[in-house]
């Protein structure tokens, strides 16, 4: 189409460019290393240098195929998403969008890979619904890992007024708990509304709140633990060690 438009007198441009493939390239380059050193051992600059070497060796395959096909590209503009110009353009674009109020920054739960030690996107995650305890093989682990287990534990109430039991599949995230939610119509907890539980590790007061949307009174204990947002990143980092 570009060649046809150019031959028809249009000022048409096709810029040759290749993407770095993010996590996939990172994994391939790390596996290719002869020494037992990770990217963290050698440092960011050295690892990026190795990624660029790998790109020069293998990443040119697509562009070479386009050349052999006789595609009408402007080869003087060839670019790569991690080259100097593009690396400067990306943060510049995000800063401008942020200053213009078109994007925002906030604390959010992320998909954290405990082996790669990095966040990954939703499309890079395989979602699996489990109905019972299941042992699954996980990359980076020598033995199967336990999933699908609902763990119940007790929080004491302030003033020695009893206790409240919550259930979770991720017990390690209790380090960041800041509140407990119950269904407003759940008769088991009506006398607990507005009271406080005490976190056993650091003494933080966890308010018992009501939420008819978030809480399913028929699931688990009917009491849901809530994470404190600034604690999320710390908790996620801890998961790799605890798990």
């Amino acid at each position: 189409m570009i060649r046809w438009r150019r031959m028809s007198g249009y000022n048409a441009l096709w810029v040759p460019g290749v993407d770095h493939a993010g996590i996939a390239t990172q994994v391939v380059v790390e596996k290719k290393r002869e020494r037992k050193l990770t990217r963290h051992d050698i440092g960011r600059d050295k690892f990026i240098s190795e990624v660029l070497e790998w790109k020069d060796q293998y990443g040119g395959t697509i562009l070479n195929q386009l050349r052999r096909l006789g595609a009408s590209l402007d080869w003087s503009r060839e670019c790569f998403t991690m080259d100097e110009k593009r690396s400067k353009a990306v943060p510049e674009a995000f800063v401008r969008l942020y200053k213009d109020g078109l994007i925002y920054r906030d604390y959010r739960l992320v998909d954290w890979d405990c082996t790669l030690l990095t966040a990954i996107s939703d499309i890079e995650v395989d979602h699996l619904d489990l109905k019972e305890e299941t042992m699954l093989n996980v990359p980076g682990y020598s033995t199967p890992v336990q999933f699908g287990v609902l763990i119940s534990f007790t929080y004491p109430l302030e003033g020695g007024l009893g206790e409240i039991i919550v259930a979770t599949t991720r017990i390690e995230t209790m380090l960041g708990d800041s509140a407990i939610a119950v269904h407003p119509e759940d008769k088991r907890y009506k006398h607990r509304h507005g009271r406080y539980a005490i976190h056993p590790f650091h003494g933080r007061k966890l308010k018992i709140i009501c939420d008819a949307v978030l809480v399913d009174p028929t699931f688990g204990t009917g009491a849901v633990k809530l994470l404190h947002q600034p604690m999320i990143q710390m908790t996620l980092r801890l998961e790799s060690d605890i798990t």
Side-chain angles (χ1 to χ4, degrees), residues 34-192:
E34 295 179 359
R35 294 173 294 172
K36 297 283 186 177
L37 298 176
T38 68
R39 67 185 187 281
H40 303 289
D41 296 325
I42 66 174
R44 176 183 175 84
D45 293 338
K46 174 62 177 175
F47 184 73
I48 290 179
S49 175
E50 292 191 3
V51 170
L52 294 177
E53 289 179 7
W54 183 88
K55 185 272 287 188
D56 291 337
Q57 184 176 358
Y58 299 101
T61 301
I62 296 175
L63 297 179
N64 289 333
Q65 290 173 336
L66 290 172
R67 289 179 184 273
R68 293 171 63 188
L69 288 170
S72 184
L73 293 92
D74 185 347
W75 295 104
S76 67
R77 298 173 182 257
E78 182 179 333
C79 60
F80 173 56
T81 49
M82 288 182 64
D83 63 28
E84 184 176 0
K85 288 185 177 180
R86 259 51 61 176
S87 295
K88 290 182 178 179
V90 170
E92 174 69 20
F94 274 95
V95 170
R96 288 190 186 184
L97 290 169
Y98 177 76
K99 289 182 176 179
D100 291 341
L102 298 174
I103 61 175
Y104 64 92
R105 299 180 66 180
D106 204 349
Y107 288 103
R108 288 291 184 269
L109 283 172
V110 298
D111 300 311
W112 182 259
D113 190 305
C114 297
T115 299
L116 297 176
L117 298 181
T118 185
I120 56 179
S121 70
D122 288 345
I123 62 174
E124 293 171 309
V125 176
D126 293 328
H127 293 274
L128 183 63
D129 292 328
L130 302 177
K131 303 298 183 182
E132 58 187 8
E133 178 183 358
T134 306
M135 304 299 291
L136 298 175
N137 292 319
V138 177
Y141 292 83
S142 58
T143 59
V145 178
Q146 180 191 62
F147 290 92
V149 176
L150 197 62
I151 301 173
S152 297
F153 65 96
T154 301
Y155 274 130
L157 295 178
E158 185 181 33
L161 298 177
E163 60 188 26
I164 186 168
I165 301 175
V166 299
T168 178
T169 59
R170 303 301 300 272
I171 184 65
E172 67 275 14
T173 61
M174 63 89 69
L175 296 170
D177 286 355
S178 64
I180 298 171
V182 298
H183 195 282
E185 300 302 321
D186 192 335
K187 296 180 180 180
R188 295 173 296 175
Y189 302 115
K190 282 209 169 186
H191 62 298
R192 307 292 195 197

